Amino acid sequence: MLLITGIVWMLVLGWWRANDHQPATGETLFYLIGIPVALFGGYWLLSRFFDYLRTPTSPTSAAATQRATDVASSEESGPVPNEFFHLLAGAVAGNNGQTPDSLLAAAKAGQRASIDRSLIDDDGFPVFSCRSEQADSLASEMAEDAVGPLAHSRFSEETWRALSLISLALEELAPQLSSLMNQENSAVKFQLLWLQPEDWPAVQDSAWKDWILTLLPADLQASDVTFAWQRVATDTDALAAVDKAMNAAAMDQLTIVVAGISHIGEATVRRWQAGGRLFTANRQSGQVPGETAVAMLLATQDSELANATDSLISVYKTVADSKSPQNKKKEQTLNALITQATQAAMIDTPDIAAIVADTDHRADPLQELLAATNESFEELDPVEDCATIGSACGTTEPFGSLLALLCAANSAENLQQPVLGISTQHHTSRAVTLVKPVNWSNQSPQGDS
């Protein structure tokens, strides 16, 4: 107020003096008091209005409940959703091996992208990437050995690389599938959900089915598997698809979720650079091409089949917001989601032992994550307890959220405490998933047991 008054007085008095003007009493009151008060009042009203537009409401309010809602039920109404489902086993494939442990270790060790001399940008410089060496040879072999409809499909380099990583992830998961099937007296029924990027090439469903059957255990009959494919555009879409599938799954049925993406290819580099999205020396805020595949074995909340595994992780319903505000207060949206996730699971924030996020090297998402977690989890060390796996594996959307989920589950098993999986890799969508060991309890009246 004093600054505004001083500026107005300086301008008005200077103008009067320059023009040798003798103001009347009314002019003096209007210019020296009325105008400063009006300017300050207008500024205050505008600032309050813009703060209202930008600031998410309280998580308990109806507006936040509508926006930061359970993504599994956001598209259509259906059966009453389960509170959580069980993760029996999981595998990943990418530039850091085939286990969540290896990816977490790489992230905590500070591993970053490296110069990829196989990819050259439009300016003639090699691109930074997180390339999987295993996919280099395996993708070429798969393209050469393909049979049936896949042999006649003109897949891009990125598609073949994604398929090769999917095969590696399922190869890692196969022994655990076989072990579980051997423990059961009756035949186990499965549903297989293959999540595909929205620009995935169109191929006959039977071709995809025949190909993926070759990657499953030999004693798993096609008649015991129900197949489904779904295209997803964002990381929150991927989590929503998993939640929806588990809501619809039968109690005596196990679910296999498969997803894979590769951004390692000349076509992606050209497209990203044209859109100002590629990380370069002149654009440090750009994204680094990465590639990954995930495979998960899931069971419903009440499934008796889950008892056949030694380690069991409960995965609570994801909460998400696809309209994260583009301003300095957007961490409030993430805080609201964190609050919703912990309250829905009836777990206090001090009981959260770690955070795993798909956040990469970019300053804005990293600052958003740190601001939100520092406010909600003062007891967590931002380096030791918060892993940002995107820095080690590059951009893997729309499946970075699934990577974060698997790594969070791995941390929960190792720590024997609840862990949050957070997705901030997308430019607007945000998601939070809480996982915990199935037998963990905080021994409080609100804690679940």
Side-chain angles (χ1 to χ4, degrees), residues 95 112-116 119-121 126-132 158 161 261-273 277-280 286-292 360-362 390-397 425:
N95 65 316
R112 296 295 184 266
S114 57
I115 294 177
D116 191 337
L119 295 175
I120 306 298
D121 65 20
V127 171
F128 281 85
S129 79
C130 293
R131 174 188 289 267
S132 166
E158 291 90 334
R161 295 184 68 88
I261 185 71
S262 176
H263 298 299
I264 306 295
E266 292 291 343
T268 298
V269 170
R270 298 287 175 266
R271 187 170 64 253
W272 283 16
Q273 190 166 20
R277 182 181 173 186
L278 183 68
F279 174 87
T280 64
Q287 292 173 281
V288 172
E291 54 188 353
T292 192
D360 54 23
H361 69 283
R362 291 172 294 161
S391 299
C393 65
T395 294
T396 55
E397 60 180 70
Q425 200 167 87

Side-chain angles (χ1 to χ4, degrees), residues 83 316 341-348 351 440 442 444-448:
E83 293 181 0
Y316 284 80
T342 52
Q343 288 181 349
M346 293 186 291
I347 291 177
D348 299 326
D351 292 321
W440 180 89
N442 59 7
S444 71
Q446 288 187 333
D448 64 359

Side-chain angles (χ1 to χ4, degrees), residues 41-42 45 75 79 120 128 147 156 163 206 245 255 285 289 310 351-352 372 379 412:
L45 288 173
E75 294 182 353
I120 306 298
F128 281 85
V147 296
S156 65
L163 290 173
S206 58
T255 300
S285 60
D310 296 329
D351 292 321
I352 301 298
E379 68 281 0

Side-chain angles (χ1 to χ4, degrees), residues 47-380:
S47 65
R48 289 294 301 273
F49 175 70
F50 285 121
D51 282 344
Y52 171 77
L53 292 179
R54 294 181 304 196
T55 305
T57 55
S58 168
T60 59
S61 69
T65 302
Q66 182 177 1
R67 287 188 62 204
T69 185
D70 173 18
V71 293
S73 59
S74 62
E75 294 182 353
E76 57 181 306
S77 60
V80 177
N82 294 320
E83 293 181 0
F84 58 85
F85 56 86
H86 296 304
L87 173 66
L88 280 62
V92 305
N95 65 316
N96 291 296
Q98 291 172 251
T99 65
D101 258 335
S102 60
L103 177 53
L104 279 170
K108 291 184 177 181
Q111 180 174 315
R112 296 295 184 266
S114 57
I115 294 177
D116 191 337
R117 301 192 182 280
S118 299
L119 295 175
I120 306 298
D121 65 20
D122 293 338
D123 300 318
F125 295 104
V127 171
F128 281 85
S129 79
C130 293
R131 174 188 289 267
S132 166
E133 294 182 358
Q134 287 180 292
D136 287 341
S137 56
L138 186 55
S140 299
E141 293 175 6
M142 289 180 64
E144 294 174 0
D145 299 339
V147 296
L150 297 187
H152 304 293
S153 301
R154 296 183 178 180
F155 290 159
S156 65
E157 176 185 1
E158 291 90 334
T159 300
W160 282 117
R161 295 184 68 88
L163 290 173
S164 69
L165 292 171
I166 288 173
S167 70
L168 290 172
L170 281 174
E171 179 183 331
E172 183 73 15
L173 189 69
Q176 299 170 79
L177 281 173
S178 296
S179 174
L180 188 143
M181 292 167 61
N182 292 335
Q183 292 179 45
E184 295 297 318
N185 296 325
S186 57
V188 181
K189 297 294 183 181
F190 292 88
Q191 67 167 341
L192 189 147
L193 174 63
W194 187 351
L195 301 179
Q196 301 174 342
E198 61 178 350
D199 59 351
W200 197 256
V203 176
Q204 293 178 356
D205 287 353
S206 58
W208 289 132
K209 179 179 178 180
D210 292 342
W211 178 77
I212 209 163
L213 268 176
T214 64
L215 306 175
L216 299 176
D219 50 349
L220 182 58
Q221 303 297 317
S223 58
D224 294 329
V225 185
T226 302
F227 291 87
W229 291 262
Q230 184 171 337
R231 303 292 179 93
V232 296
T234 67
D235 294 277
T236 53
D237 290 342
L239 291 168
V242 174
D243 278 349
K244 185 177 178 180
M246 295 312 298
N247 286 336
M251 190 172 62
D252 60 347
Q253 185 182 51
L254 294 179
T255 300
I256 303 170
V257 176
V258 180
I261 185 71
S262 176
H263 298 299
I264 306 295
E266 292 291 343
T268 298
V269 170
R270 298 287 175 266
R271 187 170 64 253
W272 283 16
Q273 190 166 20
R277 182 181 173 186
L278 183 68
F279 174 87
T280 64
N282 297 324
R283 185 177 288 276
Q284 300 290 313
S285 60
Q287 292 173 281
V288 172
E291 54 188 353
T292 192
V294 300
M296 299 185 289
L297 181 61
L298 310 174
T300 62
Q301 177 177 334
D302 302 319
S303 174
E304 295 182 0
L305 297 172
N307 297 326
T309 60
D310 296 329
S311 58
L312 199 60
I313 298 296
S314 298
V315 181
Y316 284 80
K317 294 179 297 182
T318 294
V319 292
D321 191 330
S322 60
K323 298 178 182 178
S324 182
Q326 298 297 297
N327 56 60
K328 64 180 181 180
K329 294 186 177 180
K330 58 187 176 183
E331 66 268 10
Q332 294 182 6
T333 296
L334 200 53
N335 269 329
L337 296 177
I338 290 171
T339 300
Q340 275 201 288
T342 52
Q343 288 181 349
M346 293 186 291
I347 291 177
D348 299 326
T349 52
D351 292 321
I352 301 298
I355 291 171
V356 179
D358 61 5
T359 311
D360 54 23
H361 69 283
R362 291 172 294 161
D364 286 350
L366 190 59
Q367 290 172 1
E368 175 189 352
L369 176 70
L370 291 177
T373 54
N374 285 343
E375 181 175 334
S376 299
F377 305 99
E378 296 180 357
E379 68 281 0
L380 294 185

